[in-house]
Amino acid sequence: QPSPKGTDHSFREYYYALTGGQENHVTGPYLSMNSGNLCITASKMAADPLHGQSTILCADLNLSKV
């Protein structure tokens, strides 16, 4: 289930990596607090040239289903 809109993710590993200059990032395996499953997060910085902003797109992947 996605986090509510406006949730602060600035302390997440992928946020630091992407705002530090990486274009994409994959975390190491971790135990999800939401589902209890072993997961990884794949993320990518996406530019919005129309509005001059960037957005971080990320997906949590359940390792038992990958």
Side-chain angles (χ1 to χ4, degrees):
Q1 177 176 1
S3 298
K5 186 175 182 175
T7 300
D8 182 5
H9 293 282
S10 62
F11 292 110
R12 304 286 183 155
E13 176 184 336
Y14 60 82
Y15 182 87
Y16 286 115
L18 296 175
T19 58
Q22 289 184 4
E23 288 188 28
N24 53 56
H25 183 75
V26 178
T27 65
Y30 63 91
L31 188 60
S32 170
M33 299 295 279
N34 291 332
S35 67
N37 296 319
L38 190 61
C39 297
I40 60 171
T41 298
S43 56
K44 179 167 182 56
M45 186 69 79
D48 178 358
L50 185 60
H51 297 102
Q53 299 176 344
S54 294
T55 300
I56 296 175
L57 304 174
C58 60
D60 293 332
L61 306 170
N62 180 340
L63 291 179
S64 69
K65 296 186 178 188
V66 177

